[in-house]
Amino acid sequence: MNNLLLQLTDRGLYCSPGDFYVDPWAPVDRAVITHAHSDHARWGSARYLVAAPGLAITRRRLGSDTEIVPLDYGKPTDRNGVRISLHPAGHILGSAQVRIEHRGEVWVVSGDYKRDDDPTCAPFEPVRCHTFITEATFGLPIYRWPPAAEVFAEINAWWRANQQAGKASVLFAYALGKAQRLLAGVDQTIGPIYAHGAVQAVNDLYRASGVPLPETRYAGEAPRDTDWSQALIIAPTSARDTPWLRRFGRISDGFASGWMRVRGQRRRRSVDRGFVLSDHVDWPGLMLAVRETGAERVFVTHGYTAVVARWLSEQGLEAHPLETRFDGDEEEEGEGADHESGHE
Ligand SMILES: [Zn+2]
Ligand SMILES: [Zn+2]
């Protein structure tokens, strides 16, 4: 990537004429951040630019004494003759694609994105560009997401069945983004909803940022005689196999993730139920996104980079894998190393 508008350096993607980085993985002077997940919003840089709806969650991640400048979606800001704007990525609250324009040349860095319905964040918006840098976490043809409404109907039915069987429903999900999407999507009339502390803290930030979520009670403060058999409990995957779960008595557990599309992953997780719900783009969505940008050149990061780059090359595009360090996929927590075995 020499002499290009964006270059891959040992600190991350660098725009030399604008003198800033996008999602740097080492401290830099100026960072433009696509979203608040930990592999994208790393601590230690002097200044951060983020999409305005993500200000509160980014501040929580990076600390209150960090200089973080919010920018409204679609509103350009200029730096050394380089025009920067942020556009909705549909991934989590405040997630952005970064559009970079210099002397008529336009690049877009997707960050993580999805195209499916999610009432907790602004929907993905295609942005025309010459060069597109896309993620490929689920960049294999087997990954196709069912409509979210179908998945939520399954979750609601599972919750009701557990109530009848006298079991608490414990649903594991990533604490930032997925947990809130689940809350916004489940039928809150079925019963009380409780959250693990890590989830509850993010819920409060979402509410403070103007995202309406159903009421959630903090599980850690519930009275000892709580009847958990009617409850849905949303917890981070890190709470699995911990003593924290004992308070709920008999449980049925579920996991909401794109990896649940593959039966082998479900087995490895050994949860009672897997729900196919991802905050990343699936294969058809990725292909559509690339087409809609109109880009002639595509760089592929995050996941199945070689597969997607080869496929796009066969479609006549210039496409290359790009070895970034966005490999710890936040939604799956450490499942990234499992990519190659995901074919089973
Ligand atoms: Zn992410
Ligand atoms: Zn990521």
Side-chain angles (χ1 to χ4, degrees), residues 104-315:
E105 189 186 346
V106 179
W107 285 51
V108 168
V109 182
S110 74
D112 293 343
Y113 67 104
K114 74 169 176 293
R115 310 187 55 125
D116 303 270
D117 292 343
D118 183 345
T120 67
C121 62
F124 174 86
E125 176 191 302
V127 181
R128 303 280 300 177
C129 58
H130 301 106
T131 303
F132 185 44
I133 303 183
T134 182
E135 65 133 321
T137 304
F138 291 104
L140 284 183
I142 52 164
Y143 290 110
R144 286 162 203 264
W145 307 148
E150 261 175 40
V151 180
F152 281 110
E154 283 173 24
I155 294 172
N156 292 333
W158 167 73
W159 183 6
R160 285 199 187 91
N162 292 337
Q163 287 182 328
Q164 281 175 3
K167 291 182 191 171
S169 303
V170 179
L171 188 49
F172 294 106
Y174 192 68
L176 170 53
K178 181 67 63 64
Q180 291 71 39
R181 186 182 179 198
L182 287 168
L183 281 170
V186 295
D187 180 355
Q188 53 178 304
T189 66
I190 295 174
I193 307 176
Y194 289 83
H196 181 278
V199 170
Q200 188 76 334
V202 183
N203 294 347
D204 291 342
L205 288 169
Y206 266 57
R207 291 186 184 107
S209 305
V211 180
L213 294 177
E215 187 201 339
T216 48
R217 307 178 199 180
Y218 175 35
E221 283 174 357
R224 280 187 163 274
D225 59 351
T226 300
D227 174 14
W228 295 106
S229 70
Q230 301 304 299
L232 174 69
I233 300 124
I234 308 224
T237 45
S238 57
R240 283 194 60 200
D241 307 318
T242 65
W244 181 81
L245 285 174
R246 281 188 207 136
R247 71 191 70 197
F248 306 120
R250 291 175 64 220
I251 66 163
S252 173
D253 59 354
F255 182 50
S257 161
W259 299 113
M260 295 297 101
R261 178 71 184 73
V262 176
R263 205 180 321 136
Q265 293 282 2
R266 216 171 294 176
R267 215 168 35 232
R268 196 164 301 129
R269 288 285 180 175
S270 67
V271 282
D272 297 328
R273 286 294 300 271
F275 299 105
V276 183
L277 193 74
S278 178
D279 286 336
H280 293 267
V281 70
D282 65 358
W283 175 268
L286 201 169
M287 294 302 141
L288 179 61
V290 169
R291 266 202 309 282
E292 286 185 340
T293 62
E296 293 134 27
R297 181 167 53 198
V298 180
F299 291 101
V300 188
T301 72
H302 235 350
Y304 296 97
T305 55
V307 177
V308 172
R310 192 167 60 237
W311 181 275
L312 294 174
S313 300
E314 286 164 4
Q315 312 299 306

